[in-house]
Amino acid sequence: MKWDLDTLFSGGSDSQSLHKYVEQTEEELANLESLVELYTPPKNTEQTGPLLEVVAHIQEVMKRLSEFGAFVSCLSAQNVEDKKAGQWQSKRTEMGARFDNALTAFDQKLVQVDESIFKTMIQQPELKELSFVLNEKREHAKDLLELRQESLINDLSVDGYHGWGQMYDALVGKMTIEYDGEELSVGQAANKLSASDREVRTEVFQKLQSAWDQQSDLFSETLNHLSGFRLQMYKRRGWNHVLKEPLDYNRMTETTLNSMWETITDYKSKYKNYLNKKAEMLELEKLSFYDVEAPVGESGQTMSYQEGAEFIVEQFRKFSPKMAEFAEMAFKKQWIEAEDRSGKRPGGFCTSFPDSEETRIFMTYSGTPSNVATLAHELGHAYHQHVMNDMEVMNQGYAMNVAETASTFAEMIVADAAVKEAKNDEEKLTLLEDKVQRSVAFFMNIHARFLFETRFYEERKSGTVSAERLKQLMTDAQREAYMDSLDEYDPTFWASKLHFHITDVPFYNFPYTFGYLFSMGIYARALEAGESFEDKYIALLRDTGRMNVEDLAKKHLEVDIEQKEFWQNALELCVADLEEFMEVAEKL
Ligand SMILES: [Zn+2]
């Protein structure tokens, strides 16, 4: 149950080979910096040589920085007390900032290349493979201000923009909730919201509300400054649509986004029925916000790690022998850290080592059905990386909305199999509810976040938005997203949800829902096609880093995701679980 990190760099955070690797990477980075500085935009289509040279160096540094970063995150996850790992982390951040500056400078030079020369150049055999990403880099750079202004923004955002995000984290870290004679962090308290005893949930929820409410003036300050910085930056760049940055980043159109939300809204009444049913099962008139995720039945059977691993491999094999083989290899080579012990970071992740062409999975496995699902989920991420290993490094970068494709797909396979193999109706009900819950989170909770965030940013354009107004906006968004089916909402959710305060990625919400439904759509295809789907699936995954999502869907699924049909098919699959849940619930 423990991973092997020594095959990557032996000796943990004191590793000599890591030292050497980082030193070498720094040299490569310095080389890249001078190459970019010396690079002159070509005047004719024949001059591809220097461009190729810069691109090769970018890819080399990118690969090494990912390898280094991945190793460091593994070190600090396996032991939160590892101080040396913290130092490596700062080193990695500093080198990452230098790399980003070199990239920005390079992109600005690409803009200076004449349009027709550039388009011809990237179609030449030696560059064709990278034409999408190179063109995208140039297009993004065109939307920016000139280099000096952009680097001023970058420098000022360390303390001005990201600073507010860090201030948020610091403030939240100081908050405590008194419960049952204990001082709990807000995270620990929030975990109690999934307790089966409603009195516990009610009390914890009220305590959390009052704690966030007391601090709401502080958090409206951090949120207003952070969003104000973002909007001012957009204004200077001449961007007047707040969704421009997140849509570009996720390589998708607004039509696709709208079509997705509209289809979800069409199906919402079914989820309203589910919430009403759940209220009935919990003997309540109406659910409150803190009842939505409450358990309705007994928890399912537990599985030992060995059993979980075998179950996953067996289910993967039904869809894709290659995926099953990959999972077996990951178990055998000890790519997974699953041991249940103290001193580990909570949560789970999968990280890739593009230089060694390996991955590592981190989680804490205690045998619950949700642990098995997480393990399958992370193996899905690892498989996504695995099928991309031989590709150009620049083509391996996929955005958040497709990042969850392979993981959700893998998780679905295993969750469906678990429902089919349930020993009795009680167990079946619990497993089905787990699946329906996921849909409720993506279709309602995340929808509320999206509605709130777009409306908030619109209002913020004309000035500071007060804490009172933020609460109103949040309650309205939740009421709408949950179709008025709840009794009580969560007005301070804008303060308690970290995602509104993340500065690295804007609008940390709709890509989740996109990824989930996109994967469901693919899963629906796989169910129809059976094993013959395997190669198609691999081909799709390989294109996730070098296409926009509309083209990706057109090429591999022959669908237009700007239209509702694709989303309807995906939703039908989710609704099938819901209907089965209702049937089993009725029976019980
Ligand atoms: Zn994931």
Side-chain angles (χ1 to χ4, degrees):
M1 291 180 87
K2 286 184 98 162
W3 60 16
D4 185 359
L5 294 181
D6 280 347
T7 56
L8 298 156
F9 298 101
S10 68
S13 48
D14 290 316
S15 167
Q16 278 307 310
S17 53
L18 177 65
H19 251 284
K20 281 213 190 81
Y21 190 83
V22 174
E23 249 174 49
Q24 179 87 43
T25 308
E26 273 195 297
E27 275 171 38
E28 298 276 357
L29 180 57
N31 282 342
L32 173 67
E33 286 168 333
S34 49
L35 263 181
V36 169
E37 210 180 304
L38 293 172
Y39 180 71
T40 44
K43 297 273 186 278
N44 63 61
T45 56
E46 309 304 310
Q47 295 172 302
T48 53
L51 178 60
L52 268 170
E53 200 188 353
V54 181
V55 166
H57 276 78
I58 289 178
Q59 301 209 86
E60 182 61 22
V61 176
M62 203 178 244
K63 186 172 76 185
R64 288 176 153 266
L65 284 176
S66 305
E67 183 94 0
F68 173 27
F71 190 69
V72 174
S73 56
C74 289
L75 289 178
S76 45
Q78 70 174 4
N79 175 14
V80 290
E81 303 289 332
D82 190 341
K83 296 248 165 25
K84 264 269 177 60
Q87 288 165 11
W88 282 121
Q89 186 65 59
S90 318
K91 183 82 195 160
R92 171 63 185 77
T93 309
E94 176 208 313
M95 287 170 75
R98 272 174 68 189
F99 180 60
D100 286 347
N101 279 334
L103 285 184
T104 312
F106 174 63
D107 292 353
Q108 297 277 359
K109 291 198 172 174
L110 291 183
V111 179
Q112 293 165 31
V113 186
D114 173 81
E115 178 95 19
S116 70
I117 291 181
F118 185 77
K119 297 263 174 209
T120 317
M121 266 172 86
I122 57 171
Q123 286 313 319
Q124 296 189 6
E126 63 272 31
L127 285 167
K128 197 171 185 346
E129 191 56 26
L130 291 167
S131 60
F132 175 83
V133 282
L134 288 174
N135 188 56
E136 183 183 54
K137 281 167 85 55
R138 185 169 183 270
E139 290 302 314
H140 280 182
K142 276 206 263 182
D143 280 337
L144 299 178
L145 299 163
E146 54 153 305
L147 185 58
R148 285 179 51 201
Q149 289 177 310
E150 283 296 332
S151 44
L152 183 62
I153 293 179
N154 272 341
D155 288 347
L156 293 179
S157 51
V158 174
D159 290 308
Y161 180 42
H162 304 304
W164 288 111
Q166 285 159 7
M167 182 63 156
Y168 171 83
D169 293 340
L171 291 170
V172 174
K174 288 242 178 289
M175 287 174 69
T176 52
I177 307 287
E178 276 225 1
Y179 178 77
D180 213 9
E182 269 186 287
E183 289 248 307
L184 302 179
S185 70
V186 281
Q188 286 173 315
N191 282 342
K192 296 211 180 289
L193 291 175
S194 52
S196 55
D197 184 348
R198 188 166 200 251
E199 274 175 35
V200 175
R201 293 200 302 273
T202 315
E203 190 185 340
V204 173
F205 182 77
Q206 278 161 1
K207 287 196 161 161
L208 278 166
Q209 277 303 318
S210 88
W212 289 111
D213 204 37
Q214 267 172 30
Q215 307 293 339
S216 64
D217 283 336
L218 279 183
F219 292 123
S220 81
E221 198 79 20
T222 52
L223 189 60
N224 271 287
H225 286 308
L226 183 156
S227 53
F229 190 107
R230 191 180 282 173
L231 287 169
Q232 188 62 30
M233 183 169 69
Y234 289 171
K235 194 173 156 192
R236 286 296 186 121
R237 289 173 180 163
W239 303 355
N240 42 33
H241 191 17
V242 295
L243 289 177
K244 177 182 167 45
E245 191 186 14
L247 288 169
D248 283 353
Y249 169 77
N250 286 291
R251 294 168 172 160
M252 64 189 278
T253 67
E254 193 172 13
T255 313
T256 299
L257 180 63
N258 290 338
S259 169
M260 176 186 90
W261 285 132
E262 279 165 26
T263 317
I264 289 172
T265 306
D266 294 343
Y267 279 80
K268 271 197 184 171
S269 60
K270 294 189 188 288
Y271 286 88
K272 188 175 176 166
N273 294 342
Y274 157 78
L275 291 171
N276 290 339
K277 182 80 198 169
K278 181 160 179 171
E280 194 189 309
M281 290 164 84
L282 295 174
E283 293 170 355
L284 297 166
E285 191 72 32
K286 249 178 161 186
L287 295 180
S288 277
F289 199 79
Y290 52 87
D291 295 318
V292 177
E293 286 174 23
V296 285
E298 297 300 309
S299 62
Q301 296 254 327
T302 59
M303 277 189 199
S304 74
Y305 188 59
Q306 187 64 28
E307 286 166 342
E310 278 163 16
F311 185 67
I312 289 171
V313 170
E314 186 192 328
Q315 302 313 326
F316 280 4
R317 185 159 288 124
K318 291 180 188 159
F319 279 82
S320 161
K322 287 179 188 159
M323 205 163 125
E325 248 169 64
F326 169 78
E328 274 180 323
M329 177 188 71
F331 285 115
K332 211 166 74 200
K333 289 194 169 169
Q334 287 178 269
W335 285 6
I336 304 159
E337 168 59 55
E339 198 182 35
D340 192 353
R341 58 176 159 82
S342 62
K344 275 174 77 164
R345 216 196 79 171
F349 66 79
C350 171
T351 188
S352 355
F353 295 82
D355 205 357
S356 339
E357 302 190 350
E358 294 189 7
T359 41
R360 289 296 182 276
I361 287 169
F362 180 88
M363 66 171 297
T364 299
Y365 187 94
S366 57
T368 64
S370 113
N371 288 160
V372 180
T374 305
L375 185 53
H377 180 104
E378 303 305 340
L379 280 165
H381 278 304
Y383 186 62
H384 194 168
Q385 182 55 42
H386 177 71
V387 302
M388 285 185 142
N389 272 339
D390 61 330
M391 294 173 57
E392 301 267 4
V393 184
M394 274 170 130
N395 283 339
Q396 295 183 24
Y398 41 83
M400 184 179 165
N401 57 344
V402 287
E404 294 303 333
T405 305
S407 53
T408 312
F409 186 82
E411 202 179 333
M412 268 322 119
I413 293 175
V414 170
D416 265 5
V419 172
K420 282 201 193 88
E421 293 186 12
K423 302 212 169 39
N424 52 47
D425 280 342
E426 281 82 7
E427 194 181 319
K428 196 171 187 179
L429 189 78
T430 307
L431 292 165
L432 280 169
E433 217 232 354
D434 203 55
K435 295 188 79 188
V436 181
Q437 279 294 325
R438 230 169 295 176
S439 296
V440 172
F442 288 120
F443 305 157
M444 293 172 137
N445 190 312
I446 294 191
H447 194 203
R449 300 182 203 182
F450 174 76
L451 292 173
F452 164 81
E453 200 163 24
T454 35
R455 289 165 190 172
F456 161 62
Y457 270 81
E458 277 312 317
E459 285 199 13
R460 181 66 184 87
K461 280 181 181 171
S462 24
T464 305
V465 182
S466 71
E468 277 317 302
R469 179 67 188 148
L470 285 165
K471 283 187 247 175
Q472 188 61 50
L473 282 171
M474 183 52 86
T475 314
D476 291 347
Q478 288 172 343
R479 205 181 289 280
E480 182 179 334
Y482 284 89
M483 291 193 96
D484 243 330
S485 51
L486 304 185
D487 184 30
E488 203 182 333
Y489 295 88
D490 187 352
T492 60
F493 192 66
W494 55 271
S496 61
K497 190 42 81 182
L498 162 77
H499 295 179
F500 298 117
H501 307 261
I502 289 178
T503 51
D504 291 329
V505 183
F507 278 77
Y508 213 85
N509 41 57
F510 71 82
Y512 275 124
T513 307
F514 178 97
Y516 176 66
L517 279 177
F518 190 62
S519 189
M520 283 306 225
I522 297 170
Y523 187 58
R525 288 297 173 89
L527 288 174
E528 280 167 29
E531 230 180 71
S532 68
F533 192 69
E534 181 176 45
D535 290 334
K536 280 190 187 170
Y537 178 58
I538 293 172
L540 181 147
L541 291 180
R542 284 171 66 86
D543 276 339
T544 46
R546 55 182 175 194
M547 276 190 164
N548 62 47
V549 289
E550 288 79 18
D551 289 343
L552 186 71
K554 219 164 274 168
K555 180 175 169 189
H556 296 284
L557 306 166
E558 300 93 35
V559 287
D560 181 359
I561 58 169
E562 291 196 322
Q563 304 293 321
K564 282 183 168 183
E565 199 191 332
F566 172 79
W567 304 107
Q568 283 161 351
N569 288 334
L571 271 141
E572 286 295 338
L573 211 56
C574 302
V575 165
D577 286 329
L578 186 151
E579 278 162 359
E580 200 180 349
F581 172 89
M582 298 293 247
E583 270 169 41
V584 180
E586 208 55 56
K587 218 159 69 180
L588 287 172

